Amino acid sequence: MNSNNYPVIAIGASIAAISFIRTLREHNDTRKVLLVHGEDRLPYKRTKINKHMVRGFEKDDFKITDSQWYEDNHVELIYDRVIHVDSNEKYISTKKGQVYGYDKLLLATGATSVIPQIAGISQNQIHTVQNASDVDKVLHACGVQDRFLIVGGGVEGVETADQLVRKGKKVIMANRMNYPLQKLFPKNLLEVLEKKMVGRGVKLFKGVSVTSVQPKNEGGYSINLQGQEVEFDALIACTGAVPNVELGLKAGLKVERGILVDEYLQTSDEDILAAGDVAQHARGVVTGLWHAAEYQGKLAALNLLGQAEAHLLPPFRLKTEVFDLFMFSGAYDTVIPGVDEAIEEISGEIRRVMYYTDDRLKAAVFLNDGARAKTYQLALFEKWDKETVAANLPLPPKMEFSFTPSFGK
């Protein structure tokens, strides 16, 4: 059994961990970092995985950075899974039997897919799309199967449905909510999405829970949904994810939904930080967004450097391109119906709803205005007033022209 000591260890090669290391190096911190990655490829952009089923992808297509970056930045990247953290003796142990001591530890272990218990099908036969190896299995299934039941109508479910339809597969979606993406958009925008999905052949069942399926003798399964007998070959669970708090519990940290952190990403142990989808912030918030995790990694590093900057839960946005729609949702979960002022606007294919409190922008959702997504994000960060929104995000958008003179010979 090897024993090595490192000034800094980061567990989980997510964007939170990479951002953490980048920030240390940007501030000229040269302490060696051990980065422990439990997968079989370079750390990658998870948000791209299930969005690229149509064309498929190679092992390192979506890497955050290349292997040389780790060497150049004095980072030892190992492919192993941490199975224990001893916060008293300050060491971690791995599945491969290695032991590493630390001075400071970052937990960036992300989230784990919720796999429902469904009678008639074993859990190891249920697909998920949380990480690259999950999607590899779905792509393999696509080579031999044509009918897919997606359970869940969140972002992963809708993106997966879009990709499978584009691959020529038959898609059934069973959703507990009344609309797909219901937690992220208001009804009037969701009606547009639903119409697009149904128009592309998705069989959409709303307000249903899947508790059992029936295996068929000739292969595949059947299920009764709202009185209809529906047959399918494979089931994909897109029923959400929960913070992967296993190591936090083993380390004796304070844990609720996620690992509890303060505004500086500090856990209940003075030598352990947590960032990204595993961290639980004030008011029980678990962010679950790529840019939020990236930001938290930066703040965790600043804490370590003695330059602590408070995390005030800025309104990061979610964006997705599905069923020929560009969809943007920023801080919609903070909207209080009947209290916040909602202003709906339509211009051609663009539809948006802007939410205000005391004349300041609180939340924004839109369809098909993707070219200005970063401006909407800035508007949310800076809480623009209506006048500033009208000047900088007018509908219809201002036309931009480029003119290159052509001279005859």
Side-chain angles (χ1 to χ4, degrees):
M1 184 182 293
N2 290 334
S3 179
N4 298 293
N5 292 317
Y6 289 82
V8 181
I9 294 178
I11 302 174
S14 62
I15 186 59
I18 302 302
S19 175
F20 172 78
I21 296 167
R22 279 178 175 161
T23 304
L24 292 178
R25 297 305 182 244
E26 287 167 359
H27 287 76
N28 301 314
D29 186 284
T30 59
R31 283 175 284 188
K32 188 170 185 179
V33 177
L34 175 67
L35 178 60
V36 188
H37 184 25
E39 297 188 53
D40 64 349
R41 62 201 74 201
L42 286 168
Y44 59 92
K45 299 178 181 178
R46 296 182 188 278
T47 56
K48 290 186 176 291
I49 295 299
N50 73 315
K51 297 177 182 177
H52 289 82
M53 291 184 186
V54 173
R55 71 168 177 83
F57 50 86
E58 298 300 322
K59 194 171 183 179
D60 288 323
D61 272 2
F62 305 122
K63 61 182 181 288
I64 298 172
T65 187
D66 60 29
S67 57
Q68 187 63 43
W69 182 87
Y70 300 95
E71 184 176 338
D72 292 345
N73 284 279
H74 205 39
V75 177
E76 184 176 342
L77 173 63
I78 63 170
Y79 298 89
D80 201 351
R81 187 168 69 85
V82 178
I83 58 175
H84 186 68
V85 174
D86 188 315
S87 58
N88 293 319
E89 299 297 325
K90 297 179 65 173
Y91 70 82
I92 66 171
S93 52
T94 75
K95 187 176 181 180
K96 294 180 180 179
Q98 303 301 302
V99 174
Y100 304 96
Y102 66 85
D103 295 327
K104 295 291 183 178
L105 178 67
L106 173 74
L107 295 177
T109 48
T112 303
S113 291
V114 175
I115 303 178
Q117 293 278 355
I118 300 175
I121 185 171
S122 63
Q123 285 199 305
N124 61 13
Q125 291 176 303
I126 296 175
H127 294 286
T128 61
V129 290
Q130 179 73 12
N131 57 44
S133 60
D134 295 333
V135 176
D136 282 341
K137 293 173 184 176
V138 174
L139 289 174
H140 176 75
C142 284
V144 294
Q145 297 170 328
D146 290 314
R147 302 168 299 177
F148 290 81
L149 171 64
I150 297 174
V151 180
V155 177
E156 283 188 344
V158 174
E159 289 179 344
T160 301
D162 175 63
Q163 289 290 302
L164 292 175
V165 165
R166 290 168 59 189
K167 285 182 74 69
K169 303 301 177 181
K170 296 176 182 176
V171 176
I172 307 107
M173 176 175 284
N175 184 22
R176 290 189 301 108
M177 302 287 188
N178 291 324
Y179 292 94
L181 305 187
Q182 186 170 319
K183 293 183 179 181
L184 295 166
F185 295 90
K187 178 182 175 182
N188 49 350
L189 271 58
L190 294 178
E191 287 173 341
V192 178
L193 171 63
E194 181 177 304
K195 185 177 180 180
K196 290 274 191 180
M197 292 178 70
V198 173
R200 293 280 297 279
V202 177
K203 284 189 175 181
L204 187 58
F205 293 89
K206 302 182 292 182
V208 298
S209 295
V210 175
T211 58
S212 65
V213 299
Q214 295 295 323
K216 297 179 69 66
N217 292 333
E218 62 273 24
Y221 303 85
S222 68
I223 184 173
N224 188 288
L225 293 171
Q226 297 175 329
Q228 294 187 47
E229 196 73 16
V230 179
E231 295 184 353
F232 62 95
D233 302 310
L235 189 154
I236 304 174
C238 296
T239 45
V242 294
N244 186 6
V245 299
E246 178 184 2
L247 294 180
L249 291 169
K250 289 181 176 180
L253 304 179
K254 291 182 179 178
V255 173
E256 291 178 0
R257 287 177 59 212
I259 297 173
L260 293 176
V261 296
D262 65 14
E263 63 268 39
Y264 305 108
L265 287 305
Q266 185 69 56
T267 71
S268 55
D269 184 300
E270 64 180 3
D271 293 317
I272 302 178
L273 300 150
D277 294 357
V278 74
Q280 179 178 325
H281 309 275
R283 305 188 306 280
V285 172
V286 175
T287 54
L289 293 172
W290 173 270
H291 290 293
E294 184 177 35
Y295 177 62
Q296 290 171 43
K298 171 187 172 182
L299 296 189
L302 292 177
N303 181 347
L304 195 65
L305 292 164
Q307 303 175 30
E309 180 180 319
H311 180 34
L312 302 177
L313 293 174
F316 288 103
R317 84 291 183 272
L318 175 139
K319 61 182 179 66
T320 186
E321 296 182 63
V322 289
F323 295 97
D324 305 316
L325 296 171
F326 184 104
M327 305 186 73
F328 174 108
S329 179
Y332 182 70
D333 61 315
T334 68
V335 171
I336 304 174
V339 175
D340 298 320
E341 181 183 3
I343 299 178
E344 181 179 1
E345 299 168 279
I346 301 174
S347 176
E349 294 296 314
I350 298 174
R351 299 186 64 153
R352 76 183 185 192
V353 186
M354 311 291 272
Y355 298 90
Y356 295 87
T357 297
D358 298 327
D359 195 46
R360 292 289 175 174
L361 187 64
K362 181 179 184 180
V365 294
F366 69 72
L367 303 180
N368 301 326
D369 201 4
R372 301 193 294 175
K374 289 184 179 179
T375 307
Y376 281 92
Q377 178 73 83
L378 181 64
L380 287 167
F381 269 26
E382 297 182 350
K383 298 181 180 179
W384 289 358
D385 58 26
K386 293 174 192 171
E387 184 177 347
T388 306
V389 170
N392 293 280
L393 284 169
L395 282 184
K398 292 178 180 177
M399 299 293 290
E400 295 185 4
F401 298 94
S402 61
F403 176 68
T404 303
S406 176
F407 300 97
K409 293 182 180 179

